[in-house]
């Protein structure tokens, strides 16, 4: 069935010789694990590690025309000639890994597209020859930022002060584990990285979702216990495109692995991220380590330019070695008691006035009458870089941009 998810076979570990992880060096700065990692030959992706519906009909290769194809890209056109679906993949051969995403574009000059929905940028089935009702797949993931966990059945939720705690979930046959972040943030509640191990724990795959907003993922074990299906994509995606419009999906990364323990897997994945994903400067070097300091608890919802400049002078005089002055949430206009006393009192008691202005990324003219530049200039004059927090993935009520968006 051409519309079925890709099958990534994970066979039983029958005692093959395992070679040691490579030694750390400038290209590979992390120390080797105490365990061992087998170097696997690169396995290219099958041609359809994704799924979606167009006009209510699930995608199948037979129903779409291949308009162009290279080693890294395949372009499909629907039968009506309105929608183009482009699949782009990047191979990371030395890690036996692939990263890919979809882009949808209306190539018509006059017609709107049908509805695009049920979009899984990643749709992968992992098989295990030894899967049964007694030996289960393992899914390892981590609690996200803000110290709150998800109630997926493996732990109580929320988990106070549990940021980045690893969770090992072993769902029984016929059960699905569904994970997604909270409040529209990509790493709140749960991190977008997952390691799936076959029942014998000797082989598996790491999956990662590349998206700055609200993603969702699922892990469904079939009733026989011999396979698990991974799906992932944007949380809310049901759209039509006007002529010339296009939109892309989250990216999906899959790194297949063979190792004796999870530490080896995680070290291998860290090496992949450092070498292939992390941003680098024009000379190919990784960014310098961040040693940031912020004002009091970090929030600046009541802080003036003068107060922040005083804080910068104080930090610089301590000569501790900070290299960045970080101004966190609240530098934009926030709700006042005169505007909405009930909301003001509610948020004030929770130290959350900053929430009311999320989406209005303009310095509060009352506290920064000359703009924010004078604060940045003060940081630079003290030998510090200036970092200003904002989050483009969210807009909150009663910000003016929320009202403008809601009425458009």
């Amino acid at each position: 069935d051409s519309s079925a998810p890709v099958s990534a076979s994970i066979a039983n570990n029958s005692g093959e010789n395992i070679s040691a992880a490579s030694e750390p060096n400038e290209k590979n700065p992390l120390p080797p694990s105490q365990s061992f990692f087998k170097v696997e030959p690169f396995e290219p992706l099958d041609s359809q590690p994704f799924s979606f519906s167009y006009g209510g009909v699930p995608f199948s290769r037979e129903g779409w025309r291949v308009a162009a194809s290279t080693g890294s890209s395949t372009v499909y056109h629907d039968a009506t000639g309105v929608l183009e679906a482009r699949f782009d993949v990047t191979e990371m051969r030395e890690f036996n890994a692939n990263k890919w995403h979809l882009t949808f574009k209306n190539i018509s000059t006059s017609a709107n597209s049908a509805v695009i929905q049920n979009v899984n940028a990643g749709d992968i089935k992992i098989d295990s020859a030894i899967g049964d009702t007694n030996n289960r797949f393992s899914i390892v993931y981590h609690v996200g930022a803000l110290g709150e966990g998800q109630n997926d059945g493996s732990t109580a939720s929320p988990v106070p002060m549990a940021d980045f705690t690893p969770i090992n979930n072993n769902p029984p046959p016929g059960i699905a584990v569904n994970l997604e972040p909270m409040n529209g943030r990509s790493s709140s509640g749960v991190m977008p990285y997952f390691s799936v191990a076959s029942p014998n724990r000797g082989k598996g795959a790491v999956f990662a979702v590349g998206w700055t907003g609200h993603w969702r993922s699922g892990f469904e074990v079939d009733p026989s216990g011999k396979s698990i299906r991974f799906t992932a994509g944007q949380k809310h995606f049901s759209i039509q495109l006007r002529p010339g419009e296009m939109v892309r999906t989250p990216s999906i990364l899959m790194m297949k692995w063979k190792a004796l323990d999870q530490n080896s897997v995680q070290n291998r994945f860290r090496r992949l991220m450092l070498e292939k994903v992390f941003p680098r400067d024009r000379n190919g070097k990784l960014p310098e380590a961040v040693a940031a300091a912020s004002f009091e608890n970090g929030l600046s919802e009541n802080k003036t330019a003068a107060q922040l400049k005083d804080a910068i002078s104080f930090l610089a005089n301590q000569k501790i070695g900070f290299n960045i002055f970080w101004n966190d949430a609240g530098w934009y206009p926030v709700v006042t008691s005169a505007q909405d006393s009930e909301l003001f009192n509610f948020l004030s008691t929770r130290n959350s006035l900053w929430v009311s202005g999320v989406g209005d990324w303009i310095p509060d003219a009352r506290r920064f009458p000359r703009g924010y530049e004078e604060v940045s200039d003060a940081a630079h004059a003290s030998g510090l870089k200036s970092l200003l927090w904002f989050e483009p993935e969210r807009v909150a009520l009663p910000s003016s941009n929320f009202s403008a968006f809601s009425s458009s």
Side-chain angles (χ1 to χ4, degrees):
D1 180 2
S2 61
S3 64
V6 169
S7 176
S9 179
I10 294 181
N12 184 15
N13 178 5
S14 56
E16 298 92 339
N17 291 326
I18 308 293
S19 59
S22 58
E23 292 298 320
N25 52 51
E26 183 177 355
K27 188 176 181 181
N28 185 17
L30 292 176
S33 168
Q34 293 294 323
S35 338
F36 303 97
F37 204 103
K38 182 176 175 61
V39 178
E40 294 285 305
F42 176 73
E43 302 172 58
L45 276 176
D46 288 346
S47 58
Q48 190 192 321
F50 59 85
S51 61
F52 66 90
S53 295
Y54 181 59
V57 180
F59 171 86
S60 68
R61 291 192 292 271
E62 288 75 11
W64 292 60
R65 180 174 67 87
V66 176
S69 181
T70 66
S72 61
S73 178
T74 304
V75 178
Y76 300 96
H77 288 173
D78 84 291
T80 67
V82 172
L83 188 69
E84 174 181 285
R86 178 185 178 117
F87 168 66
D88 290 296
V89 60
T90 300
E91 296 179 343
M92 305 171 187
R93 289 177 169 265
E94 60 269 50
F95 292 96
N96 196 14
N98 292 275
K99 180 166 71 75
W100 68 91
H101 69 273
L102 289 170
T103 302
F104 298 105
K105 182 178 181 180
N106 186 330
I107 57 176
S108 169
T109 58
S110 58
N112 291 340
S113 75
V115 175
I116 310 164
Q117 58 187 358
N118 303 321
V119 179
N120 290 308
D123 195 335
I124 304 282
K125 187 177 73 171
I126 295 177
D127 295 316
S128 173
I130 67 166
D132 57 43
T133 56
N134 296 316
N135 295 287
R136 299 180 180 179
F137 283 92
S138 168
I139 309 165
V140 176
Y141 49 95
H142 292 76
V143 174
L146 302 183
E148 296 177 312
Q150 286 203 337
N151 187 11
D152 59 10
S154 65
T155 184
S157 176
V159 182
M161 299 306 293
D163 301 41
F164 315 123
T165 299
I167 295 175
N168 189 345
N169 201 324
N170 298 270
I175 296 298
V177 174
N178 297 306
L179 300 172
E180 61 183 83
M182 300 181 298
N183 304 320
R185 290 169 157 176
S186 61
S187 58
S188 288
V190 64
M191 301 293 286
Y193 312 103
F194 325 96
S195 184
V196 177
S198 63
N200 70 317
R201 303 295 187 266
K203 288 187 176 183
V206 169
F207 295 100
V209 181
W211 198 241
T212 55
H214 198 138
W215 50 268
R216 44 105 185 133
S217 65
F219 303 83
E220 184 176 3
V221 183
D222 94 322
S224 72
K226 293 186 177 182
S227 70
I228 186 169
R229 181 185 179 191
F230 164 76
T231 54
Q234 185 177 331
K235 172 64 174 179
H236 301 290
F237 195 108
S238 181
I239 64 171
Q240 285 182 287
L241 296 176
R242 299 186 180 96
E245 289 184 332
M246 67 174 156
V247 63
R248 62 154 283 184
T249 68
S251 62
I252 304 295
L253 187 150
M254 178 176 69
M255 183 193 81
K256 295 182 182 179
W257 56 263
K258 183 174 184 179
L260 295 182
D261 71 356
Q262 189 62 35
N263 288 335
S264 296
V265 176
Q266 293 186 187
N267 279 340
R268 185 73 170 175
F269 182 65
R270 290 189 185 102
R271 292 186 179 99
L272 183 155
M273 293 293 288
L274 280 170
E275 190 169 323
K276 298 294 186 180
V277 180
F278 276 30
R280 295 176 181 265
D281 65 20
R282 65 184 65 184
N283 297 316
K285 294 184 177 180
L286 291 168
E288 65 177 336
V290 173
S294 58
F295 191 86
E296 292 184 357
N297 65 352
L299 301 180
S300 61
E301 53 199 22
N302 296 311
K303 307 302 184 295
T304 65
Q307 289 174 312
L308 293 175
K309 288 160 66 176
D310 286 344
I312 289 170
S313 296
F314 174 80
L315 289 170
N317 290 334
Q318 303 310 303
K319 301 188 184 304
I320 297 175
F322 293 116
N323 56 19
I324 293 177
F325 178 72
W326 180 324
N327 193 10
D328 211 331
W331 49 270
Y332 39 79
V334 296
V335 68
T336 65
S337 180
Q339 291 171 326
D340 189 329
S341 60
E342 184 176 355
L343 179 61
F344 176 85
N345 292 331
F346 175 81
L347 294 177
S348 294
T349 58
R350 290 161 174 78
N351 196 28
S352 297
L353 272 177
W354 64 272
V355 173
S356 64
V358 166
D360 286 347
W361 309 121
I362 300 172
D364 186 350
R366 295 180 299 107
R367 294 177 288 135
F368 304 95
R370 289 180 287 179
Y372 193 78
E373 186 176 7
E374 63 175 309
V375 178
S376 292
D377 286 346
H380 297 157
S382 298
L384 299 169
K385 293 182 179 180
S386 178
L387 189 155
L388 191 62
W389 175 93
F390 72 103
E391 52 177 354
E393 69 270 24
R394 300 203 301 176
V395 178
L397 185 70
S399 69
S400 58
N401 274 333
F402 183 94
S403 300
F405 178 79
S406 299
S407 60
S408 62

